[in-house]
Amino acid sequence: MEHPLLMTTAPRPVDTSTGSITVMIGIPGAGKSHFLKGEFEAGRMDNILSLDEARGEFGVGPHDQSVTPQAVDHVVEQAGILLDAGAAVTIDATSTTVSDRRTWLDLARAHDVPARAVIVRIPLKVALYRNSVRQYPVPTEFVCECHHRVTNLTDGALLAEGFAAVSELNTQFRGGQA
């Protein structure tokens, strides 16, 4: 059953009975992690793999961009183990570029499971505020750059990249910090 806050475009039914990858796409401060935490706590989702958490394991904290390659490799490895077991996996990362998303699409292809994209759209000023109150704010220029990419992202473009379905989520009025 589809989540009530998601609107989905799928040109054909998506079979997730033998696993799937859901890729969150959104700017820093959009509320991706906050939303996923709520879904996990409510028992509606498990197997959430976060690049920020992986950065925290390998570096000095979730903000440590110097360990991003290690973090991505770790998340890919963990996702592969879960997919081999037939599980559904959700990737918590910005994924605002084609190259970022290609990592997750390649993983889905390698495990012969569908990949779904969830675009988290939010006004830039809301994300900038949320970012400003974080313990480790992301540079404003990066937030703005990501916002531009997400604003211009279309369902058709994501389907053309290889996603089996695209959903949109608005976290603006969900409350809390991202």
Side-chain angles (χ1 to χ4, degrees):
M1 181 175 161
E2 190 66 46
H3 190 283
L5 293 177
L6 296 173
M7 294 178 20
T8 302
T9 300
R12 59 193 175 284
V14 178
D15 178 11
T16 60
S17 62
T18 57
S20 65
I21 295 178
T22 299
V23 179
M24 303 301 286
I25 302 170
I27 68 177
K32 299 176 301 296
S33 298
H34 183 77
F35 171 77
L36 292 173
K37 179 182 177 194
E39 293 299 289
F40 179 80
E41 289 173 354
R44 291 187 291 264
M45 185 178 290
D46 49 38
N47 302 318
I48 300 166
L49 300 175
S50 165
L51 276 186
D52 285 347
E53 286 181 16
R55 284 186 195 100
E57 289 180 36
F58 293 103
V60 296
H63 61 287
D64 188 351
Q65 296 296 313
S66 71
V67 295
T68 296
Q70 288 172 285
V72 170
D73 289 346
H74 176 74
V75 170
V76 166
E77 179 183 347
Q78 295 305 304
I81 291 167
L82 290 164
L83 292 170
D84 283 343
V89 175
T90 300
I91 304 298
D92 181 8
T94 57
S95 300
T96 62
T97 67
V98 172
S99 62
D100 290 342
R101 294 187 296 271
R102 188 175 306 122
T103 299
W104 313 122
L105 286 166
D106 288 348
L107 182 63
R109 285 186 202 99
H111 291 271
D112 197 28
V113 298
R116 299 185 302 184
V118 176
I119 306 169
V120 183
R121 299 195 194 269
I122 190 162
L124 179 58
K125 70 179 188 176
V126 174
L128 289 172
Y129 169 76
R130 289 178 178 175
N131 184 57
S132 73
V133 297
R134 285 180 159 177
Q135 182 177 3
Y136 300 104
V138 175
T140 299
E141 300 78 26
F142 181 73
V143 176
C144 292
E145 190 178 300
C146 289
H147 185 265
H148 177 74
R149 288 193 294 258
V150 171
T151 298
N152 292 309
L153 197 56
T154 65
D155 292 8
L158 290 168
L159 293 170
E161 285 179 27
F163 286 96
V166 179
S167 300
E168 293 208 20
L169 172 66
N170 182 336
T171 63
Q172 181 177 358
F173 301 106
R174 296 269 304 178
Q177 300 300 319

